[in-house]
Amino acid sequence: MITLGIETSCDETSCAVLKDRDTLLSNIVSSSLKKHALYGGVVPEIASRQCLEAMDSVYETALNQAKITAKEIDLIAVTRGPGLIGSLLVGMAFAKGLSYNLGIPLVGVNHLEAHLDGCFIDNVKPKKPFIGLLVSGGHSSLVYCENGNYELLGQTVDDAVGEAYDKVGKLLGLPYPGGPVIDRLAREGNPAAAGIRFTKPKQDGKYDFSFSGIKTAAFYFLRERNLTDQETKDFCAAFQNAVVAWIVEKTFAACEGKQCGIVAVGGGVSANSLLRARLAEEAKKRKVKIYIPEFKYTTDNAAMIARNGIDRYKQSGASGLDLTATPNLKIGLG
Ligand code: KG4
Ligand code: ZN
């Protein structure tokens, strides 16, 4: 069975060809991130126009690289939300047109749920329930995944973790997106020398996150100082240490709370070097099986959409052509 995945939820346009559940034949990603860097954040209008421009050629390249023709596609999986409405509509319209034209089923995919499948493109997905840790630019959540159903355990009550990284990056005068830059600088910094200690946020929800306090603390600290290069690195290390420690703590608290010995991680921030290392370390200590996606599957890509789409299709069947793009789609709603 051949599934074509289509992803256009934000600034990436991606198509992937997946054979059955485990053989990825191609995964083409075109990003407009550099264009947004000029403005210090994603500009929705630019993102959607870029998706429209890239869509045809990304699709054709994905088919060529997979060495298949359109007639060999059996299923189309497309991101239906959450995301930017203009970008989502590009992929959805393309997917519907193709589905109608080729007479093959279409399945709408929840982008957040698909992120957690990024680690199951090259690994067999466990049959047992697992805790999903989703950390991206727009979302930070912990979910309990069982038989294709997603129970939301907790989420950020304010900023998403990637958003906090990007905002603190901006305060430091770093290029957008700040996440990967802070990660790189933090590796050369000494958190103990930073002269700032970030206090742990308090939330009512056991598994909820909060990152706006740390951002405010960073704002007040940086407002009064002009950091040297080394001080910037030390600051990044202190910030990163604090954020990662909170995420790791909550993740394994969820494992304990749900008595679950498997964790799957997804989203752009899962590319973070310290988060990957600390999660792996802690999992080993606690004898928890952890799945961390390969770098190429951490950011938005259609391989994860195809991987999620095939399971969703087998479980719930096809979506109709009246499928709508849902910009604020929540996790757990398929
Ligand atoms: O999942 P994603 O590609 O897009 C959303 O759906 O939001 O995540 C993008 C986010 C950005 O905020 C970016 O700064 C962050 O992921 N990010 C990182 C790293 N690489 C990307 N944050 C921390 N460390 C990284 N290495
Ligand atoms: Zn994403």
Side-chain angles (χ1 to χ4, degrees):
M1 172 145 184
I2 298 276
T3 303
L4 171 74
I6 300 178
E7 154 66 31
T8 62
S9 66
C10 188
D11 55 331
E12 265 100 17
T13 307
S14 180
C15 286
V17 178
L18 181 70
K19 185 164 176 255
D20 304 324
R21 282 188 164 90
D22 48 11
T23 310
L24 186 66
L25 301 180
S26 66
N27 181 40
I28 307 298
V29 184
S30 160
S31 174
S32 60
L33 194 63
K34 283 201 180 112
K35 295 219 160 93
H36 304 282
L38 273 176
Y39 305 94
V42 173
V43 183
E45 184 63 23
I46 295 178
S48 56
R49 281 172 192 267
Q50 287 289 313
C51 288
L52 195 57
E53 271 178 34
M55 194 67 241
D56 285 349
S57 70
V58 167
Y59 164 70
E60 274 163 28
T61 312
L63 259 53
N64 287 340
Q65 207 177 86
K67 297 193 172 55
I68 63 153
T69 61
K71 289 206 171 75
E72 291 170 74
I73 305 170
D74 300 298
L75 173 70
I76 300 169
V78 63
T79 304
R80 72 178 186 97
L84 302 171
I85 185 68
S87 298
L88 286 170
L89 285 174
V90 174
M92 292 270 294
F94 191 88
K96 285 183 187 179
L98 207 57
S99 160
Y100 183 73
N101 186 270
L102 296 170
I104 52 172
L106 171 76
V107 65
V109 166
N110 182 320
H111 178 90
L112 303 176
E113 295 172 5
H115 259 307
L116 295 174
D117 276 329
C119 40
F120 303 127
I121 294 163
D122 296 325
N123 286 301
V124 177
K125 197 168 177 173
K127 292 214 163 38
K128 286 188 182 163
F130 58 90
I131 298 289
L133 167 68
L134 177 73
V135 275
S136 76
H139 299 84
S140 308
S141 334
L142 279 165
V143 286
Y144 182 68
C145 316
E146 189 174 24
N147 296 327
N149 297 313
Y150 299 78
E151 177 200 345
L152 183 66
L153 300 176
Q155 60 188 332
T156 183
V157 295
D158 38 57
D159 289 352
V161 58
E163 190 181 355
Y165 261 97
D166 297 340
K167 285 179 177 169
V168 168
K170 212 176 223 176
L171 293 175
L172 287 165
L174 302 174
Y176 175 84
V181 189
I182 292 180
D183 187 10
R184 184 165 43 77
L185 296 176
R187 275 177 254 161
E188 294 165 29
N190 172 10
I196 179 168
R197 278 185 68 106
F198 294 102
T199 47
K200 216 153 114 176
K202 290 192 180 66
Q203 315 90 36
D204 296 336
K206 211 164 144 196
Y207 305 123
D208 285 340
F209 298 105
S210 165
F211 296 105
S212 79
I214 191 169
K215 181 194 65 190
T216 310
F219 171 76
Y220 285 115
F221 181 82
L222 294 172
R223 194 173 62 164
E224 289 153 19
R225 290 168 180 82
N226 239 334
L227 301 189
T228 62
D229 284 355
Q230 188 53 48
E231 284 168 345
T232 301
K233 290 174 183 172
D234 295 341
F235 178 89
C236 289
F239 169 78
Q240 177 146 294
N241 265 15
V243 168
V244 167
W246 298 334
I247 299 175
V248 171
E249 188 184 308
K250 293 273 172 177
T251 305
F252 290 99
C255 282
E256 273 181 24
K258 296 297 280 186
Q259 303 212 315
C260 178
I262 308 173
V263 173
V265 190
V269 185
S270 64
N272 186 270
S273 58
L274 186 68
L275 182 63
R276 297 170 77 92
R278 287 287 302 115
L279 283 170
E281 221 174 274
E282 203 56 34
K284 198 170 166 201
K285 217 188 306 172
R286 294 169 184 256
K287 298 196 170 45
V288 165
K289 170 94 182 131
I290 191 152
Y291 294 88
I292 299 174
E294 275 189 47
F295 279 107
K296 61 183 173 199
Y297 303 131
T298 56
T299 43
D300 293 348
N301 65 83
M304 67 184 196
I305 304 301
R307 182 66 191 82
N308 185 274
I310 172 94
D311 283 352
R312 181 144 299 282
Y313 175 69
K314 296 258 163 142
Q315 194 171 354
S316 321
S319 313
L321 285 177
D322 56 352
L323 183 72
T324 50
T326 311
N328 59 355
L329 187 66
K330 302 281 182 276
I331 201 160
L333 295 180

